[in-house]
Amino acid sequence: MAAQSWLSESVLGWSIFTFILVVILAFCWVYIRKFQSRQESEVVSTITAICALAVALITSALLPVDIFLVSFMKHPNGTYKEWAANNETRAQIEDTVLYGYYTLYSIILFCVFLWIPFVYFYYEERDDDNLNKCSQVKNALKYTIGFTIVCVVLLLIGAFVPLVAPPGQNSTQWEKVQYLFEELGSSHGLPALSFSISSLTLIGMLAVITYTAYGMSVLPLNLIKGTRSVAYERLENTEDIDDVEHQIEKLKSKCVDGRPLSSRDRRNLQDLEGKLQVLRRRGRHLEIAERNCCMKVGSALRPFKILLGIFFILVALLFIVALFISNLDKALHSAGISSGFIIFGTNLTNPLNELLLALQPVFPLDYILITVITMYFVLTSMAGIRNMGIWFFWIRLYKIRPKRTRPQALLFLCMILLLIVLHTSYMIYSLAPQYVMYGSQKYLVQSQMPSAGPTSGNTTSGISKICDADAPEDQCTVTRSYLFLHKFWFFSTIYYFGNWAFIGVFLIGLLVSCCRGKKSVIEGEVEADDSDFSDDEYVH
């Protein structure tokens, strides 16, 4: 009976994960095909982008499953279910989730350090017409070896360099931290992988600060403000064309009698002709947009977009408040930098954490909410990359635009999302630390109460409490995600300061987005720097 109950609970958890997997694959195919260049699309780059994006989303979907499984080991009253009463059974379930994490993280390492760089450099080499297929493969492998060496170095550091954290100021709390470190095992293979993933997570933290923080501010405000009127934009564009044509005719009139134009006038004429070409292309795009049925449907859905934008901005503000309270809690109640600002449970009231705990009695609202939070981070990251493009410091490498994105840009996009997803788990832990650590688990506390009746004495009764740092170790199971996040204390320290930077960038992005006006209905489709060597395609 216990075995059947355990099997049914496991099947339920993994069935949800399988359903999410199918949805993720369908979404990835639609998303990549939407932005993919129709002229430069290739089978290999398309499959690589879809698979890499799917791996990123699947990894993010594993966190709700992790929380679901540890929570379902117990009854609402705090006692273990019959199938989970055995320590070996619980360990087997925990190991299954842990191996799931390491499998997906190993795939991420393979994608980031080997597969995506190889495909990227292969298509970069295609620009050289003098190279054949064999030479393209050789050159791509040559550049990919550099990424592979970095991966090997990270694995060696994680496997052989001693990473013992210094003693904390609070010995009792630090003993708990050490226990969590040791719980993942002492083999060299898993710490090596963990160190490599944590190193990539630092890069993901920079991407989260840059793209996710901006996406959380720009996405809601774009929905609320909407776009400019197509008819007004066409009228404005026509006036600009007339003005530029008049300036061109004025310049050309200077050489009617055969006199050559000065170098300054020639430069001005060249600039005006380039501007006129852009305006005419812009006019064609606006004409197509005005006839597009999707634009008419979007206008009809305008009230819904406003409500959705208001909801998104409220969610973003809730996240920022929860993140601020969590970081403040760590600053006030942790052992400091030497312990990675690790705390157990919450000492300050965190609204998001309290909301998740309040939803526990109504299954499966809390799991739906944690899934929505996870996907919200991914979608806002996509929105941030979509609006900003892909930059290397102050140099814009690629633009992400529907039906005109080059294969290299899509590969960059997927690599950035892979790195962002690695950091998303820590962000969600920062938003709801107690819930991510224990889920909806409760434990029994034995208390002595005076007996009511003719006989004097005390009776022992059990009171259920939500799992926290004070719970006995054998009464509450910590999620594998939490243990993985805190494998190395110094990474947790860097993540802590990264959260402050995230809050600052979000507030700056919110201020900038509020000051900007409505965006064009063809925002990003036509730009002055478009050329045959960029990712632009003319609309036919």
Side-chain angles (χ1 to χ4, degrees):
M1 186 67 181
Q4 292 179 351
S5 179
W6 170 80
L7 182 61
S8 62
E9 302 288 2
S10 299
V11 167
L12 177 61
W14 288 108
S15 297
I16 296 174
F17 183 75
T18 303
F19 173 75
I20 295 174
L21 173 61
V22 174
V23 174
I24 285 174
L25 290 175
F27 171 80
C28 292
W29 186 85
V30 173
Y31 186 84
I32 295 298
R33 294 295 294 173
K34 175 185 177 182
F35 288 96
Q36 186 180 49
S37 170
R38 295 296 181 261
Q39 292 183 355
E40 300 184 64
S41 62
E42 294 288 345
V43 175
V44 176
S45 65
T46 302
I47 294 176
T48 301
I50 291 175
C51 292
L53 183 58
V55 169
L57 298 180
I58 291 168
T59 304
S60 65
L62 192 57
L63 175 62
V65 175
D66 187 8
I67 297 173
F68 173 84
L69 290 178
V70 297
S71 301
F72 254 55
M73 293 181 184
K74 286 198 163 188
H75 291 290
N77 61 3
T79 59
Y80 279 109
K81 295 181 179 179
E82 185 179 356
W83 57 268
N86 191 331
N87 290 333
E88 294 181 359
T89 303
R90 295 201 301 270
Q92 181 182 355
I93 297 174
E94 295 162 17
D95 290 342
T96 301
V97 177
L98 183 61
Y99 294 148
Y101 273 113
Y102 280 117
T103 300
L104 289 172
Y105 287 154
S106 298
I107 296 174
I108 289 177
L109 281 181
F110 173 77
C111 290
V112 171
F113 286 112
L114 185 61
W115 184 239
I116 293 180
F118 172 77
V119 177
Y120 175 84
F121 289 116
Y122 175 79
Y123 283 100
E124 282 291 302
E125 292 297 320
R126 290 186 59 186
D127 295 336
D128 191 346
D129 297 331
N130 297 325
L131 293 177
N132 53 31
K133 293 284 185 181
C134 185
S135 299
Q136 291 177 20
V137 173
K138 287 181 180 179
N139 290 338
L141 286 174
K142 179 177 64 176
Y143 293 120
T144 306
I145 288 174
F147 285 84
T148 307
I149 292 174
V150 174
C151 181
V152 172
V153 170
L154 292 176
L155 290 172
L156 291 176
I157 292 175
F160 298 108
V161 174
L163 298 170
V164 180
Q169 299 174 2
N170 189 333
S171 59
T172 303
Q173 191 177 56
W174 187 242
E175 288 175 359
K176 293 182 178 181
V177 176
Q178 287 180 318
Y179 167 75
L180 292 178
F181 290 164
E182 295 169 357
E183 201 171 12
L184 277 176
S186 59
S187 63
H188 290 296
L190 297 186
L193 180 60
S194 178
F195 184 86
S196 302
I197 291 297
S198 298
S199 300
L200 287 180
T201 304
L202 292 183
I203 306 176
M205 181 188 72
L206 299 178
V208 166
I209 294 172
T210 304
Y211 293 111
T212 309
Y214 179 69
M216 285 177 61
S217 61
V218 72
L219 177 62
L221 291 179
N222 282 346
L223 288 172
I224 294 173
K225 291 187 292 186
T227 58
R228 301 173 64 189
S229 169
V230 182
Y232 178 79
E233 282 199 76
R234 287 194 66 188
L235 177 61
E236 189 180 60
N237 191 74
T238 303
E239 293 176 351
D240 290 340
I241 290 176
D242 294 339
D243 182 59
V244 172
E245 287 178 340
H246 177 71
Q247 295 182 50
I248 291 175
E249 291 177 359
K250 186 177 180 181
L251 281 175
K252 288 182 176 180
S253 65
K254 293 182 178 181
C255 59
V256 174
D257 55 357
R259 290 180 302 172
L261 291 173
S262 64
S263 58
R264 179 180 179 182
D265 287 339
R266 285 198 302 269
R267 286 196 303 269
N268 291 338
L269 181 61
Q270 186 178 4
D271 293 341
L272 288 172
E273 288 176 343
K275 184 177 180 181
L276 180 62
Q277 183 181 10
V278 172
L279 288 172
R280 286 173 175 170
R281 288 176 47 231
R282 181 178 176 83
R284 293 196 298 269
H285 281 253
L286 287 170
E287 183 180 355
I288 292 174
E290 191 173 28
R291 298 197 306 262
N292 195 341
C293 296
C294 294
M295 294 297 302
K296 299 177 181 178
V297 174
S299 300
L301 296 177
R302 184 82 187 99
F304 174 76
K305 289 183 178 181
I306 294 176
L307 292 176
L308 190 62
I310 294 174
F311 172 75
F312 279 170
I313 197 64
L314 291 177
V315 171
L317 292 175
L318 174 63
F319 286 178
I320 293 300
V321 171
L323 190 61
F324 175 80
I325 293 175
S326 177
N327 261 25
L328 184 63
D329 195 2
K330 293 177 182 179
L332 296 176
H333 301 103
S334 71
I337 294 179
S338 60
S339 66
F341 292 97
I342 297 174
I343 58 174
F344 295 85
T346 55
N347 300 286
L348 301 178
T349 302
N350 188 315
L352 189 57
N353 192 82
E354 295 298 322
L355 176 61
L356 285 165
L357 294 176
L359 292 177
Q360 289 177 2
V362 186
F363 175 82
L365 290 183
D366 52 336
Y367 304 111
I368 293 176
L369 180 58
I370 198 68
T371 303
V372 169
I373 291 172
T374 303
M375 298 310 298
Y376 178 82
F377 272 109
V378 176
L379 293 177
T380 51
S381 301
M382 290 179 172
I385 299 173
R386 166 73 176 85
N387 283 271
M388 293 181 63
I390 298 173
W391 293 74
F392 182 75
F393 292 102
W394 59 88
I395 302 173
R396 183 163 70 172
L397 300 178
Y398 298 104
K399 290 170 282 187
I400 308 297
R401 297 184 290 182
K403 300 181 181 179
R404 284 183 299 282
T405 305
R406 299 183 66 186
Q408 295 94 319
L410 286 177
L411 294 172
F412 249 110
L413 167 67
C414 294
M415 181 178 287
I416 292 173
L417 287 174
L418 283 172
L419 298 175
I420 286 175
V421 164
L422 291 177
H423 189 67
T424 299
S425 296
Y426 184 83
M427 288 291 297
I428 296 176
Y429 162 73
S430 299
L431 292 172
Q434 187 174 356
Y435 184 81
V436 172
M437 188 174 180
Y438 295 108
S440 59
Q441 295 179 85
K442 295 182 179 180
Y443 69 101
L444 288 177
V445 177
Q446 303 295 332
S447 60
Q448 299 288 333
M449 298 183 62
S451 60
T455 58
S456 60
N458 296 329
T459 59
T460 303
S461 62
I463 301 176
S464 61
K465 292 182 60 177
I466 296 176
C467 285
D468 53 20
D470 298 326
E473 296 173 359
D474 60 342
Q475 289 296 313
C476 293
T477 304
V478 179
T479 59
R480 301 299 96 180
S481 173
Y482 179 84
L483 294 177
F484 187 88
L485 289 172
H486 297 87
K487 183 69 176 174
F488 302 99
W489 65 272
F490 46 84
F491 284 120
S492 298
T493 302
I494 300 175
Y495 301 155
Y496 166 80
F497 290 108
N499 285 345
W500 288 117
F502 179 88
I503 295 173
V505 172
F506 170 80
L507 295 177
I508 294 173
L510 186 64
L511 180 63
V512 172
S513 299
C514 289
C515 295
R516 294 179 62 182
K518 293 182 179 181
K519 68 177 184 177
S520 171
V521 71
I522 55 170
E523 181 77 16
E525 291 187 16
V526 180
E527 296 186 14
D529 59 346
D530 287 336
S531 67
D532 293 337
F533 301 101
S534 70
D535 53 347
D536 181 70
E537 293 175 11
Y538 290 95
V539 179
H540 299 284

